[in-house]
Each structure stands twice: as C-alpha cells, then as structure tokens.
C-alpha cells in the first residue's frame, strides 16, 4: 500500500481490525541487485544486448544500473527509460546514442513529467504552480540553489490539488511519507527541479519569493529557539519587507506564527 492512501485507510474500523491480527511490512527502495535484474534480465530474455562504450569500455546496462542507484530512481522512471531504448533500438542493440538523445535519465524524467502535466485537466494545471509554492524551497545549505521540501497533504483539500497529487504520485514524480501519523508530500527527485523546464521557469520567476520565504523561516526558527523572545522579533527594514512579500502571497500555506514590528504597529506573520 502506498503512503498517500494510508491516512485515509487508518480511518476505517474494518482496516484497523484487520491490521491488529496481521503483519506489517515496509518495502524498501530497489537494491542494486534488483535494479540489475530489471535492466538486464528482460533484455537477455528478448535476445537483445546493450552497447559497449568504445571510449570508457562501460556497457550501457552497467551505466544505467549505476546511474539509477546513484539518483535513487523510481521503478516507473527506470521502466520509461528502458522502453525508450527498446522502442528505438538498432537491430538487437540498445545503444548510448538513443539514451543521450533523450537527455539521459534526467531528460527521460523531465519528458515524463511534462507528459504527465499535459494530461492533467486544465483546472488542475492552473493549480499546479500554487502547489509548487509549498514543495520547493531555497536550499538551506546553499542559497544559490533550490531543493524539494515536504508539505502536509491534508492542507490540499481542493479536488484539483488531489488530482495533481494522485496523478504525479502514480508516476512516482511525487512521493509521500508517513510522519507522526500524518502524510507528507514532496517532489521525488531534486533533479526534476533542475532539469524539467517547467520547474526551472517557475523557480526563475519566483526567486525573490523563495528567498523571502527562506529568510523568514530562518528568522522564525531563531525566534522559536530563543523561546519567542522580543529581542528576536523582526524589526529591521529588510526582514520586514521579506515578511510582507511572503504574507501577501496567498498561494503559500502558512503554519507557524512569528510576531514582527513595524513603525505603524505590531503584526503577525505565519510561516
């Protein structure tokens, strides 16, 4: 059972009764050996073979296995990559040129994401960017880059949001995680943010807002760490401007409150 359905199921008394007398198994990510079997065995069974790179002497199957494990690729994306190689093979040879022409595994991932997006109803597409405000952040370790972040699924109660979440998790482009009896959503691969043109354009358009969110999150954590001391309220022009940028954007789901001061009056910001 996938994480995104678990919360709803726990509300069923029938399920809870069944679970009390059953075993629970968590399925781990694909291992190296499992990825090897997925990449090699169907090709062997079909009488096909992978090309050997004449320069570095690494066969394409070995390259794909190592790549898939290094970026923790999900099964549907690996499947999609192998299908592209098979559909464009030359005779009985699955070759590097097809893989590279698709932009590698990152390119395949981006194409899959765009195809999934285009299949959404127009109403859901219009909600997609709003969802991104809660799934992408300035990287805490480097202000020059962005990364995925988790968001509680329960806040996205609109049907169009739910349609996006179900569609993208079915393709393993989004993932869910069960934390403290609550289901959280995130983008499965950070490489999707850096390689899918739609997300790259969104990040470029929203850089100022993302930086403001990062500044306010840092200030809020600092304020909470110091037990909400008045000494750590926002009272300088730059952080207050950042607070106002965040507060004026109604696409951002806000939770933790931070009091900040201005010349006019005290105000309350939730981040």
């Amino acid at each position: 059972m996938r994480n995104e359905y678990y919360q709803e199921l726990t509300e069923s008394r029938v399920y809870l009764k069944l679970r009390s007398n059953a075993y629970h198994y968590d399925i781990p990510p694909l291992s190296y050996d499992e990825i090897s079997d997925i990449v090699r065995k169907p090709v062997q069974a079909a009488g096909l073979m992978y090309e050997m790179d004449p320069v570095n002497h690494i066969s394409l199957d070995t390259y794909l296995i190592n790549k898939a494990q290094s970026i923790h690729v999900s099964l549907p994306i690996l499947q999609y990559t192998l299908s592209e190689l098979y559909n464009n093979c030359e005779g009985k040879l699955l070759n590097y040129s097809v893989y590279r022409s698709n932009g590698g595994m990152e390119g395949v991932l981006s194409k899959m994401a765009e195809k999934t997006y285009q299949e959404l109803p127009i109403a859901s597409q219009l909600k997609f960017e709003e969802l991104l405000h809660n799934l992408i952040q300035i990287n805490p370790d480097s202000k020059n880059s962005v990364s995925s972040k988790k968001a509680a699924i329960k806040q996205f109660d609109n049907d169009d949001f739910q349609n996006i979440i179900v569609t993208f998790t079915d393709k393993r482009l989004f993932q869910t995680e069960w934390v403290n009896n609550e289901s959280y959503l995130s983008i499965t691969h950070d490489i999707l943010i850096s390689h899918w043109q739609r997300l790259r354009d969104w990040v470029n358009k929203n850089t100022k807002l993302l930086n403001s969110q990062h500044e306010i999150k840092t200030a809020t954590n600092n304020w909470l760490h110091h037990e909400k001391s008045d000494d750590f309220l926002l009272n300088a022009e730059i952080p207050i401007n950042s607070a106002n940028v965040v507060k004026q954007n109604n696409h951002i789901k806000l939770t933790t409150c931070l009091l900040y001061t201005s010349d006019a009056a005290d105000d309350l910001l939730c981040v």
Side-chain angles (χ1 to χ4, degrees):
M1 174 179 300
R2 299 232 306 270
N3 283 338
E4 61 266 28
Y5 303 120
Y6 189 72
Q7 184 173 7
E8 182 178 349
L9 198 60
T10 57
E11 297 171 2
S12 165
R13 293 183 178 180
V14 174
Y15 169 74
L16 293 176
K17 184 177 180 180
L18 286 172
R19 191 182 67 174
S20 65
N21 298 312
Y23 292 101
H24 180 96
Y25 296 98
D26 290 322
I27 300 175
L30 293 172
S31 68
Y32 183 90
D33 289 340
E34 288 168 335
I35 294 173
S36 298
D37 288 345
I38 291 167
V39 171
R40 289 178 173 146
K41 286 188 174 180
V43 171
Q44 292 169 356
L48 304 175
M49 59 188 298
Y50 286 98
E51 181 184 15
M52 177 72 71
D53 190 306
V55 177
N56 58 30
H57 305 291
I58 298 175
S59 63
L60 180 55
D61 55 330
T62 299
Y63 179 86
L64 291 173
I65 293 164
N66 292 334
K67 183 71 173 181
Q69 189 177 51
S70 68
I71 63 174
H72 307 291
V73 74
S74 60
L75 182 57
I77 294 159
L78 185 56
Q79 244 178 336
Y80 193 88
T81 302
L82 297 175
S83 295
E84 287 292 298
L85 289 171
Y86 174 76
N87 292 332
N88 295 281
C89 68
E90 297 178 357
K92 292 189 175 183
L93 187 67
L94 280 65
N95 58 61
Y96 271 101
S97 62
V98 172
Y99 177 75
R100 289 167 179 154
S101 68
N102 282 325
M105 210 166 285
E106 294 89 347
V108 168
L109 180 63
S110 301
K111 288 179 181 179
M112 185 177 178
E114 183 61 26
K115 183 174 182 292
T116 303
Y117 172 85
Q118 294 297 341
E119 290 171 352
L120 291 172
I122 296 299
S124 295
Q125 289 183 10
L126 294 174
K127 286 288 186 180
F128 188 76
E129 289 197 2
E130 185 174 338
L131 184 65
L132 294 180
H133 281 288
N134 301 281
L135 298 179
I136 297 178
Q137 66 178 351
I138 293 293
N139 194 329
D141 300 320
S142 172
K143 288 193 69 175
N144 296 321
S145 64
V146 294
S147 62
S148 173
K149 68 175 181 178
K150 297 181 180 70
I153 289 181
K154 67 180 182 181
Q155 64 188 302
F156 305 115
D157 52 3
N158 178 284
D159 287 344
D160 292 314
F161 282 139
Q162 289 299 318
N163 191 21
I164 296 169
I165 291 169
V166 170
T167 302
F168 272 72
T169 51
D170 280 347
K171 299 291 186 180
R172 301 299 194 273
L173 297 166
F174 288 172
Q175 63 186 358
T176 59
E177 185 178 357
W178 189 252
V179 181
N180 296 328
N181 294 320
E182 191 168 354
S183 190
Y184 284 82
L185 179 73
S186 63
I187 297 171
T188 305
H189 306 279
D190 275 352
I191 59 172
L192 196 59
I193 304 174
S194 58
H195 286 80
W196 184 15
Q197 191 61 50
R198 184 172 298 279
L199 293 200
R200 292 177 63 182
D201 291 343
W202 182 89
V203 169
N204 289 335
K205 186 173 69 175
N206 290 278
T207 299
K208 180 179 178 181
L209 180 59
L210 289 170
N211 276 304
S212 295
Q213 280 182 272
H214 177 74
E215 290 172 3
I216 297 307
K217 182 178 180 180
T218 301
T220 302
N221 289 339
N222 195 30
W223 179 61
L224 294 173
H225 177 73
H226 290 89
E227 300 180 343
K228 302 182 181 180
S229 167
D230 289 351
D231 294 336
F232 292 88
L233 297 179
L234 301 185
N235 53 21
E237 181 179 356
I238 293 177
I240 287 178
N241 288 341
S242 295
N244 286 327
V245 168
V246 173
K247 191 177 181 182
Q248 289 166 9
N249 191 300
N250 57 12
H251 291 163
I252 300 172
K253 307 294 183 183
L254 304 173
T255 54
T256 305
C257 293
L258 168 66
L259 186 69
Y260 68 96
T261 61
S262 64
D263 291 338
D266 290 347
D267 206 347
L268 189 66
L269 173 71
C270 296
V271 294

